[in-house]
Amino acid sequence: MKNLSTIDFGLLLLRIWLAIGLFTNHGWEKLFQFNEMLEKFPDPLLLGKTTGLVFALICDGICTILIALGMFTRLSSFLIVINMSVVFFIFWQAKITEIHGELPFIYLGTYLFFLISGAGKYSLDALYGLDPLENFRILIKNQQRLLLWKNQK
């Protein structure tokens, strides 16, 4: 069995690494060049350019920072997965062999991983109990222990 602290350290490193890449290449641009981007931003779902750009800004600019900190990791990952699904499947038509299709595919898979795994031990989620799925697991485990304890009496 792997050492849990090395797995958690790997999760921390991957969270920060990906957040730096997505934020610096996409989030920063959306934060500081919003009006310029709005003119040419694609609208593949026909929700309006402003709606699409604001959602992409939330994903690329805010959720990436939250994930790097390990704060609300599953929720932030879920939003990025939605965004990357649109980018990869609709905008790039799932063309993984295209240079611009490969990166959304990698981001999509990695943030799916964080959606499933959570942030790990070295995160604000773990420190402050912000992961609802982990809190649910703890609740179930405590209820099982209580039932075992009652049955032993």
Side-chain angles (χ1 to χ4, degrees), residues 3-19:
N3 183 342
L4 286 180
S5 54
T6 59
I7 292 171
D8 289 311
F9 182 74
L11 288 169
L12 170 67
L13 180 63
L14 187 58
R15 281 194 343 257
I16 293 171
W17 196 271
L18 284 171

Side-chain angles (χ1 to χ4, degrees), residues 21-40:
L22 191 53
F23 180 81
T24 56
N25 289 315
H26 301 282
W28 186 267
E29 176 184 38
K30 289 175 181 76
L31 279 170
F32 295 102
Q33 296 176 1
F34 186 88
N35 291 331
E36 295 86 359
M37 289 191 74
L38 189 57
E39 296 172 11
K40 58 186 177 203

Side-chain angles (χ1 to χ4, degrees), residues 44-138:
L45 298 179
L46 305 174
L47 297 173
K49 290 183 177 190
T50 304
T51 303
L53 183 55
V54 167
F55 185 73
L57 168 64
I58 290 168
C59 293
D60 300 349
I62 297 170
C63 290
T64 54
I65 293 169
L66 290 173
I67 290 171
L69 296 170
M71 186 174 185
F72 307 115
T73 304
R74 290 184 201 267
L75 174 62
S76 297
S77 295
F78 178 71
L79 295 175
I80 292 175
V81 164
I82 291 170
N83 190 44
M84 286 300 144
S85 294
V86 170
V87 171
F88 180 67
F89 291 110
I90 297 173
F91 191 73
W92 291 108
Q93 299 171 347
K95 294 180 181 173
I96 193 172
T97 56
E98 299 288 325
I99 188 91
H100 295 289
E102 179 182 14
L103 196 53
F105 178 77
I106 291 169
Y107 281 131
L108 175 59
T110 311
Y111 285 108
L112 271 170
F113 169 77
F114 283 122
L115 178 61
I116 295 166
S117 73
K121 183 170 70 172
Y122 304 123
S123 66
L124 293 176
D125 284 345
L127 184 63
Y128 294 110
L130 300 174
D131 186 343
L133 186 58
E134 193 57 37
N135 291 338
F136 182 72
R137 285 184 192 145
I138 291 169

